[in-house]
Amino acid sequence: MSGELLGDTVHTALLARILDGRLGPGTSLSVPALAAELGVSRSPVRDSVQRLVAEGIAVSTPHAGARVATVTAEDLSEVFRVREVLDGLAAAEATERVDREGLTRLAELVDAEEAALAETPEPARDAGLDLEFHAAMRELSGNATLADTLRRLEVRAHLSGAGLWAEQRHRELAVDEHRRILAAVEAGDVAAARLAASAHVAAIGVRLRRAQLTLA
Ligand SMILES: [Zn+2]
C-alpha cells in the first residue's frame, strides 16, 4: 500500500472509532497503542492524529499527547444551529445544479440506509451511511467553501452523537428525513429541499438533547 493510501486508511479507521464512540470524547489518542491496535507503523497514526487536531476533532496538550475533543452541550447547540442553516443551503444549491448521475447517487445512498434498517444497529456503519449522504449533498452543491465548513461541523456534531445510532427509532427517522430531502431535490423544488434539510438537522438536535437528558 502506498504511504498516502495507508495514511487515508488509518485516518478513516481512527475517525470511525471516534464516530462510533469506541474512542469517546476525552479518550487519549496514544500513537504507539493505536499503531499496535491497527497493525501499522507509528508515522501514519501520528499524521492522522495531527489531522484530527487541525480539524478540531482532537485537542493536543504539550507533553500529554492528544485526546478526542469533548463537546459540551453548548458547543453542540451552536454547531446544530449553524448546520441547520448550512445544510439547508447545501440542499438548495444541490437542487439547482444536480444532474441525473447525482440524483442516482443520492437515491442509492438512501436505499443503502434503508436496507441497513433491517439489520442490527451498528453505530459505525450507520453513522458512516449518514455522513455519506450529507457528504454527497454538500459535494453536489458545488460550493467548496460551504462543503469544507460543513465537513468540519459535521464531525463535531457526530462526536457526542454516537449513542443515537444504537436506537432503531432514530435510524428510521433519519432515513425518512433523508427520503424527504431526496424527494424535494428530485422534484427540483429548491425551497422544499432547503426546508427538509434544515428540518432534518433540527430534528437530530432535538433527539440528541433528549438522549443526553435521558443519559444525564
Ligand atoms: Zn442525516
Side-chain angles (χ1 to χ4, degrees), residues 103-185:
L103 284 174
T104 305
R105 189 160 148 234
L106 287 177
E108 281 171 358
L109 288 170
V110 181
D111 286 346
E113 289 180 275
E114 190 157 346
L117 285 181
E119 294 166 33
T120 317
E122 266 179 47
R125 177 202 58 204
D126 299 331
L129 285 170
D130 178 69
L131 284 166
E132 265 186 69
F133 176 79
H134 290 270
M137 189 67 78
R138 65 179 183 249
E139 275 163 32
L140 290 171
S141 78
N143 182 333
T145 306
L146 176 61
D148 189 52
T149 309
L150 270 174
R151 189 179 52 81
R152 288 159 191 268
L153 284 175
E154 216 164 63
V155 177
R156 281 175 65 197
H158 271 258
L159 265 182
S160 59
L164 271 187
W165 294 102
E167 285 177 35
Q168 184 68 4
R169 186 72 190 130
H170 170 71
R171 299 168 72 214
E172 290 167 0
L173 287 169
V175 174
D176 277 354
E177 290 158 10
H178 286 185
R179 279 243 175 265
R180 227 166 285 158
I181 301 169
L182 173 64
V185 176

